[in-house]
Structure formats: C-alpha cells, structure tokens
C-alpha cells in the first residue's frame, strides 16, 4: 500500500514537473524551502545506510559460495559501486540493464519450481508472535520498493519524461509487487519461518530443498544482482539531488560541480559513496535497523510529497494541466493525499513503539538540519 501511494505521487509530480532532484524541488517549491531542504540534508545518511545494507547482504551471499572474511567483500563492493557511478549515467544504465535481467532470471529459477515444493503447513499459524511484529516487518520490507521514489530524481536526464515516468512507475510497481509476493510466498512455504530466521543466505539455502546444487548457486547469484541494482540506483539519483541543492545554494557550491569528461556530479558522488568505507567498521550486524531507518526516512518524504501533490494545482496550475497523468483534485487526488499521510503517520507510530532508536535518530538529524538551515 505505501509503495502504491509512493508511485502515484511520483507519477503525478514527475509527469508535471520533470526536474533533476525532483523530491527536493517538489517539496521546497510546493510547501516551503525548509521542508525541501531536509531532503538533501537527510539524503547522505540514508544513502550511507543503503550502501551498508546492500554491502552486508552482498557479503552474506558471497559467503554462501566460499568462506572468506566479510570486510574485504564489503569494501570491494563499495569500491565497485563508487567507480561505476563516477563514470557516468550511461555506464550505470548499461550495467543496470544487465543486473535487472539476471535478477529476474534468478527469481524465476527460485519461484517457478519452488511453487511445487511448497508445504501448506508452513503458512500456519499466520501470526506466530502476534500482530505487533507485523508493523515493523512492513516498515523493514518497504526497502525493496525504495526505487519507485527515486525515478523522479532523474527527470532532466530521462527522454520524454512526462510520459516515460508515469509509464515506468505504474508498470514497474505491478511487476515488482507480483514478483515479490510470489517470491516471499514460496520462500516461507518451502522453509519454516523459525529456520529462515536463523539462516544466513536463507533464499539460497531454501532453494537447496528443490533445486540441484547448480540451481541453488544461480539463485544465490541473484542476491548479487539485487543489491547492485539497488545501490546503483540509490547512488545515481541521490547524487543528483545533492547537486541540485548545491545549485540552489543551500549546500556547499562545490557539490554542484560536474566532471568535464564523464558528466557526473563527482563531488556529490564522493560525498555519498566514500563515508560508508569508514562506517562499515561499526555497522555490520544491524541489518533490520538499517532497513527500518531507510524506510522511515523514505516514508517521511512520502508524507511531504502528499502535501506537495495537493498544492500542485494551485501553485503551478499550468504544469498540472499539461501533465500526461492528472488526478482530479477532489476525487483521486484528495484520496491519495489523505491515504498517504495516514499511512506515513501510522508507520511512524509503529516504528517508535517497536524500534524507537531509528525514529529518534531521524528526528535528531532533522533538528540538526534546522540549526544548519537557520545559520
């Protein structure tokens, strides 16, 4: 549900105002400059958390094949992603196409034969620990849908963005939701949930119950492509948002510089890509915490996107009228805005109850941002 609402907001706003650093521009222009400023101010720590989350997952699945130290795997992964993003958007796009094709192939290799290995008894009881852990799981598992909020950040670099952005978002969320629903249903159906929770590289291990060794190896390789697609997208678009904020003068001007040869905002890429090398020493086991923090920050942005969407027809009526996708203000638009704000608020409450440190840290960072902004 949060993913669908996020897609709806980004499709409408991206169709009406395709710009670099979309979310920052929408919130700062359609609500107030300070609330827009919080996007690029919070983006570095969200990007660092995303890179670390993905690097830990990458290392875990490499160790499914061979027992090697975790640290070199994490640093090697971070180095590869940083270099690819310094080389330019075309390099990233070519790599991304390959990664996505291989990811879907590995998911298919797990889901299709796995359907016939499902044991219905593994689906009961539905809530073995009660309902309270479900809320935190919803927040943590919002992570796979994060990319839908990032596409609009590339507005200026997309061909025919008014049509391409809504089409890519709407078709994408249908495909991804269906694939992940099938994927998780098979995973839980072939392996008891307690065993899943105690197993590293759980998907690959579960696939061993119904696939030959080479099939399980191919499924395990899908994890590499999954994390690479995620961090490629995150670092690519986050650097554009930081660059746009630096152009506006609310972040240091140096961050808006573009490399003369590769055409990349290299200073922003380095700001987002280098600190995880140092943070990795301290954060190697907090996978759930990292995921919840990333999702909470993203859903906070969704809350403000809802307000921005409501203000769009008033502040920029021509953009709204000329958009390829246009929700009617007192029908679809009103419902989408109210639903998104309620969902975001509910998830904040659940997170503060289940994992208060993630929420409190984000609030503290916003407070620091306010002091910087006033200065």
């Amino acid at each position: 549900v949060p993913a669908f609402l996020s897609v709806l907001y980004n499709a409408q706003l991206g169709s009406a105002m395709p710009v670099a650093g979309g979310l920052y521009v929408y919130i700062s222009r359609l609500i107030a400059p300070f609330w827009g400023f919080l996007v690029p101010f919070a983006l570095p720590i969200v990007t660092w958390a995303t890179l670390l989350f993905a690097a830990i997952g990458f290392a875990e699945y490499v160790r499914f094949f061979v027992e090697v130290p975790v640290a070199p795997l994490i640093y090697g992964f971070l180095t590869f992603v940083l270099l690819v993003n310094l080389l330019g958007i075309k390099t990233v796009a070519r790599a991304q196409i390959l990664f996505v094709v291989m990811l879907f192939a590995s998911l298919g290799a797990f889901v299709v034969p796995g359907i016939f290995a499902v044991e219905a008894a593994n689906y009961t009881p539905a809530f073995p620990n009660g309902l309270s852990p479900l809320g935190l799981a919803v927040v943590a598992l919002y992570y796979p849908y994060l990319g839908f909020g990032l596409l609009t950040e590339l507005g200026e670099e997309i061909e025919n963005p008014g049509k391409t952005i809504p089409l890519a978002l709407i078709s994408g969320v249908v495909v991804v939701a269906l694939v992940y629903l099938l994927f998780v249903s098979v995973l839980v159906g072939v392996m008891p949930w307690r065993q899943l929770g105690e197993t590293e590289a759980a998907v690959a291990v579960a696939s061993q119950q119904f696939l030959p060794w080479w099939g399980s190896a191919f499924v395990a390789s899908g994890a590499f492509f999954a994390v690479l697609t995620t961090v490629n997208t995150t670092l690519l678009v986050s650097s554009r948002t930081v660059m746009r904020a630096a152009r506006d003068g609310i972040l240091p001007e140096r961050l808006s510089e573009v490399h003369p040869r590769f055409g990349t905002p290299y200073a922003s890429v380095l700001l987002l890509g280098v600190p995880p090398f140092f943070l990795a020493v301290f954060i190697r086991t907090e996978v759930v915490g990292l995921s919840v923090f990333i999702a909470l920050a993203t859903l906070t942005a969704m809350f403000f996107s809802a307000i921005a969407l409501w203000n769009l027809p008033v502040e920029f009526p021509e953009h709204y009228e000329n958009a390829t996708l246009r929700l009617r203000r007192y029908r679809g638009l009103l419902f989408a805005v109210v639903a998104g704000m309620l969902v975001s608020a509910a998830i904040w409450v659940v997170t503060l109850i289940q994992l208060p440190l993630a929420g409190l840290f984000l609030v503290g960072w916003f407070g620091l941002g306010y002091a910087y902004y006033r200065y």
Side-chain angles (χ1 to χ4, degrees):
V1 172
F4 172 76
L5 292 168
S6 178
V7 163
L8 200 59
Y9 298 162
N10 284 285
Q12 172 70 89
L13 290 167
S15 178
M17 299 171 63
V19 292
L23 187 61
Y24 155 68
V25 174
Y26 304 146
I27 296 176
S28 62
R29 269 59 166 183
L30 293 169
I31 303 177
F34 169 69
W35 299 113
F37 157 78
L38 286 181
V39 174
F41 186 79
L43 206 52
I45 57 170
V46 174
T47 304
W48 301 338
T50 301
L51 292 174
L52 289 169
F53 178 91
I56 293 167
F58 173 81
E60 183 177 308
Y61 273 82
V62 170
R63 286 164 59 85
F64 173 79
F65 295 98
V66 57
E67 281 290 330
V68 292
V70 173
L73 295 174
I74 291 176
Y75 293 128
F77 175 84
L78 293 173
T79 300
F80 171 77
V81 172
L82 181 60
L83 289 176
V84 167
N85 276 271
L86 285 172
L87 292 177
I89 192 168
K90 289 185 178 180
T91 303
V92 177
R94 292 190 187 105
Q96 195 79 339
I97 291 170
L98 173 64
F99 297 156
V100 169
V101 169
M102 295 304 296
L103 169 60
F104 270 84
S106 65
L107 288 170
F110 178 79
V111 169
V112 176
I115 290 174
F116 302 99
V118 165
E119 295 183 19
N122 287 335
Y123 293 135
T124 56
F127 304 103
N129 289 330
L131 283 171
S132 57
L134 176 65
L136 189 62
V138 168
V139 182
L141 290 174
Y142 183 69
Y143 184 84
Y145 297 89
L146 179 65
F148 292 116
L150 299 176
L151 181 60
T152 53
E153 304 300 301
L154 295 173
E156 292 178 8
E157 298 177 79
I158 296 174
E159 293 182 8
N160 193 9
K163 292 183 178 180
T164 303
I165 289 175
L167 179 62
L169 286 171
I170 294 170
S171 59
V173 75
V174 172
V175 172
V176 171
L178 178 62
V179 169
Y180 274 114
L181 179 62
L182 290 170
F183 170 72
V184 175
S185 298
V186 170
L187 178 62
V188 178
V190 300
M191 194 170 180
W193 68 274
R194 286 188 184 278
Q195 191 176 347
L196 282 170
E198 298 169 354
T199 305
E200 284 196 0
V203 176
V205 173
S207 70
Q208 291 176 329
Q209 299 187 36
F210 57 88
L211 289 177
W213 68 267
W214 51 267
S216 295
F218 181 63
V219 168
S221 71
F224 306 151
F225 301 114
V227 294
L228 285 169
T229 56
T230 300
V231 296
N232 249 351
T233 306
T234 302
L235 191 54
L236 174 71
V237 301
S238 298
S239 61
R240 271 60 179 178
T241 301
V242 171
M243 176 189 71
R244 179 64 190 244
R247 284 181 186 173
D248 280 2
I250 63 171
L251 291 180
E253 185 180 354
R254 181 71 183 273
L255 295 174
S256 66
E257 292 182 3
V258 175
H259 195 279
R261 178 181 175 186
F262 300 117
T264 54
Y266 68 95
S268 296
V269 171
L270 292 173
L271 170 70
L272 299 171
V274 171
F277 285 87
F278 304 97
L279 296 173
V281 177
F282 308 102
I283 305 173
R284 287 190 187 170
T285 58
E286 298 298 322
V287 177
V288 173
L290 286 170
S291 181
V292 169
F293 175 78
I294 295 163
L296 194 61
T298 306
L299 288 163
T300 302
M302 190 179 87
F303 180 90
F304 289 107
S305 294
I307 302 174
L309 185 59
W310 181 252
N311 291 339
L312 174 64
V314 176
E315 299 292 336
F316 294 99
E318 289 186 8
H319 287 278
Y320 172 70
E321 291 296 332
N322 293 329
T324 305
L325 174 69
R326 188 169 69 252
L327 298 172
R328 294 299 176 187
R329 185 163 169 78
Y330 291 105
R331 294 178 185 174
L333 195 60
L334 180 60
F335 168 77
V337 167
V338 172
M341 295 177 72
L342 289 175
V343 167
S344 300
I347 288 176
W348 257 96
V349 171
V350 169
T351 304
L352 289 174
I353 294 173
Q354 295 287 321
L355 197 66
L357 188 60
L360 293 174
F361 180 82
L362 192 58
V363 171
W365 189 260
F366 287 161
L368 183 64
Y370 180 75
Y372 171 82
Y373 183 81
R374 296 304 303 174
Y375 170 76

